[in-house]
């Protein structure tokens, strides 16, 4: 599968722009869980058993976690690692979609009733390229890092909204 790594990198870079705004939202801890095996057809955990740890580390690197039990906790549930909507990845382990939800538990242990859904999707080289964009096919590691980084950035970007109970993004 040829991928638009340039576009994926641009999406990741754009997600990094507003990160300074999140210093005002204290977060005690971040928990990441993958429930991919609930979909009996999914084989993503065979290829990416470390995805929970990797995403949790990336989110934690972007936040100053307080460790204070009175501060909110962010729970991220990775629900899908897909290739063009299919949960069965090919032998090459390629994927172009990550689906997840964010739950926010405030300092009083009250969980927002509705999880905020996230959907990260990379374009393929089959899409019409923009003028000046160079298409580069990344290796499996480059692509994995770009996708989970985009997920981590999106989680961090949405913390203020989910803290307010706004799930509209």
């Amino acid at each position: 599968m040829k991928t638009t790594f340039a576009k994926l990198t641009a999406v990741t870079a754009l997600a990094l722009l507003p990160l300074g705004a999140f210093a005002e939202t204290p977060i005690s801890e971040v928990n990441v869980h993958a429930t991919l095996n609930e979909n009996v057809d999914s084989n993503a955990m065979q290829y990416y058993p470390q995805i929970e740890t990797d995403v949790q580390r990336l989110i934690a690197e972007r936040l100053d976690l307080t460790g204070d039990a009175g501060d909110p906790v962010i729970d991220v549930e990775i629900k899908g690692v897909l290739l063009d909507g299919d949960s069965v990845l090919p032998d090459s382990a390629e994927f172009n979609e990550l689906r997840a939800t964010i739950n926010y538990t405030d300092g009083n242990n009250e969980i927002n009733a509705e999880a905020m859904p996230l959907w990260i999707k990379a374009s393929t080289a089959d899409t019409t390229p923009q003028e000046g964009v160079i298409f580069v096919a990344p290796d499996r590691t480059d692509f994995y890092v770009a996708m989970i980084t985009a997920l981590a950035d999106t989680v961090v970007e949405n913390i203020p909204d989910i803290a307010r109970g706004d799930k509209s993004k």
Side-chain angles (χ1 to χ4, degrees):
M1 173 178 83
K2 293 183 180 179
T3 58
T4 46
F5 191 62
K7 283 187 181 181
L8 184 59
T9 302
V11 167
T12 302
L14 287 174
L16 286 171
L17 292 176
L19 291 181
F22 310 114
E24 296 177 21
T25 306
I27 301 296
S28 173
E29 67 181 276
V30 174
N31 302 305
V32 178
H33 305 284
T35 57
L36 305 172
N37 289 335
E38 291 179 7
N39 180 348
V40 293
D41 293 335
S42 178
N43 62 351
M45 290 304 284
Q46 294 171 9
Y47 296 114
Y48 303 106
Q50 75 288 359
I51 194 167
E52 294 168 327
T53 305
D54 290 345
V55 172
Q56 186 166 357
R57 177 185 47 78
L58 288 168
I59 294 169
E61 287 173 357
R62 287 155 174 72
L63 299 170
D64 290 325
L65 299 176
T66 66
D68 184 344
D71 286 339
V73 174
I74 298 295
D75 290 301
V76 178
E77 181 180 355
I78 301 170
K79 295 180 167 258
V81 176
L82 310 143
L83 178 61
D84 297 326
D86 191 352
S87 63
V88 178
L89 303 181
D91 291 339
S92 63
E94 295 170 315
F95 67 97
N96 64 351
E97 295 178 48
L98 281 173
R99 294 186 185 183
T101 57
I102 308 171
N103 279 307
Y104 176 90
T105 306
D106 68 16
N108 298 319
N109 288 323
E110 293 183 21
I111 300 173
N112 284 354
E114 186 179 326
M116 175 184 279
L118 300 177
W119 183 10
I120 309 296
K121 186 170 184 176
S123 301
T124 62
D126 297 336
T127 60
T128 304
Q130 296 175 347
E131 185 175 330
V133 173
I134 298 170
F135 290 89
V136 178
D139 68 18
R140 178 176 157 181
T141 302
D142 291 338
F143 194 79
Y144 173 78
V145 169
M147 289 294 288
I148 65 170
T149 299
L151 177 61
D153 291 342
T154 304
V155 167
V156 172
E157 177 184 322
N158 283 284
I159 288 173
D161 294 327
I162 197 161
R164 287 190 305 270
D166 180 7
K167 316 286 190 306
S168 62
K169 278 197 168 185

